[in-house]
């Protein structure tokens, strides 16, 4: 029977190494993107602090997504038309190009998503994005995002 400090099925040597390192101190530098908080405030305000897909209104669960990624085009970073307010789950899927939106603002799911994941992503989601009164997502940015999703799907998986 394993001791209380050992996890069954986990390499005992690996666990011993991990326990030994717990007293080590690591120094880290945090990089914060300038203007990120401004972009978040702008996008959440534009979407009335609601997820455009589910209507969730708890700001702790909302993110300001860039349609064209922050690192892809610095000229587009702060355009409100380059942002969508999404909840944390759909934000993650959008950032990883697992979902996107068509020209009618309907959610598109990647072909390589398992059926169960597709089903769960659809739970509570509206058929179309709930659009703000101003600064609609730019169709050209959405087209770019869909292209990135298609490119991701055509790449061989990482081993």
């Amino acid at each position: 029977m394993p001791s209380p400090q050992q996890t069954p099925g986990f390499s005992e040597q690996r666990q011993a190494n991990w326990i030994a390192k717990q007293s080590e101190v690591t120094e880290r530098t945090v990089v914060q993107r300038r203007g990120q908080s401004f972009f978040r405030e702008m996008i959440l305000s534009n979407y009335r602090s609601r997820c455009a897909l589910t209507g969730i209104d708890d700001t702790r669960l909302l993110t300001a997504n860039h349609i064209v990624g922050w690192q892809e085009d610095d000229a587009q970073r702060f355009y409100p038309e380059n942002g969508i307010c999404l909840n944390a789950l759909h934000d993650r899927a959008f950032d990883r190009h697992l979902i996107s939106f068509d020209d009618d603002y309907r959610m598109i799911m990647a072909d390589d998503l398992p059926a169960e994941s597709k089903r769960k992503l659809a739970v509570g989601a509206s058929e179309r994005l709930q659009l703000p009164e101003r600064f609609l997502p730019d169709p050209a940015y959405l087209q770019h995002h869909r292209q990135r999703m298609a490119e991701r799907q055509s790449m061989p998986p990482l081993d």
Side-chain angles (χ1 to χ4, degrees), residues 30-83:
V30 176
V31 177
Q32 182 175 356
R33 300 186 280 192
R34 286 190 173 176
Q36 188 63 26
S37 60
F38 167 77
F39 184 78
R40 176 182 164 76
E41 287 176 33
M42 177 176 59
I43 297 304
L44 265 64
S45 174
N46 195 39
Y47 284 85
R48 296 188 183 132
S49 295
R50 291 185 168 278
C51 171
L53 200 53
T54 63
I56 289 173
D57 62 358
D58 186 331
T59 58
R60 296 171 298 181
L61 299 173
L62 300 177
T63 61
N65 288 82
H66 286 88
I67 301 168
V68 175
W70 176 271
Q71 295 181 351
E72 289 183 72
D73 187 349
D74 58 353
Q76 312 302 325
R77 288 181 178 171
F78 299 112
Y79 288 4
E81 297 87 353
N82 188 31

Side-chain angles (χ1 to χ4, degrees), residues 42-134:
M42 177 176 59
I43 297 304
L44 265 64
S45 174
N46 195 39
Y47 284 85
R48 296 188 183 132
S49 295
R50 291 185 168 278
C51 171
L53 200 53
T54 63
I56 289 173
D57 62 358
D58 186 331
T59 58
R60 296 171 298 181
L61 299 173
L62 300 177
T63 61
N65 288 82
H66 286 88
I67 301 168
V68 175
W70 176 271
Q71 295 181 351
E72 289 183 72
D73 187 349
D74 58 353
Q76 312 302 325
R77 288 181 178 171
F78 299 112
Y79 288 4
E81 297 87 353
N82 188 31
I84 302 174
C85 181
L86 294 173
N87 67 74
L89 173 63
H90 290 95
D91 158 67
R92 183 73 169 233
F94 188 76
D95 278 351
R96 292 176 183 246
H97 299 94
L98 299 172
I99 64 169
S100 193
F101 300 97
D102 69 13
D103 289 335
D104 291 321
Y105 305 107
R106 290 182 303 237
M107 183 168 58
I108 301 167
M109 296 189 201
D111 294 336
D112 62 340
L113 264 176
E116 184 65 11
S117 294
K118 287 180 180 181
R119 189 183 68 72
K120 288 183 177 179
L121 280 166
V123 171
S126 58
E127 184 176 316
R128 295 180 43 175
L129 287 176
Q130 299 162 32
L131 299 172
E133 291 178 22
R134 298 176 44 190

Side-chain angles (χ1 to χ4, degrees), residues 128-152:
R128 295 180 43 175
L129 287 176
Q130 299 162 32
L131 299 172
E133 291 178 22
R134 298 176 44 190
F135 309 120
L136 301 178
D138 188 302
Y141 298 160
L142 290 173
Q143 173 58 37
H144 173 82
H145 191 271
R146 290 191 301 271
Q147 180 61 39
R148 295 279 305 202
M149 185 168 89
E151 290 168 5
R152 184 199 57 77

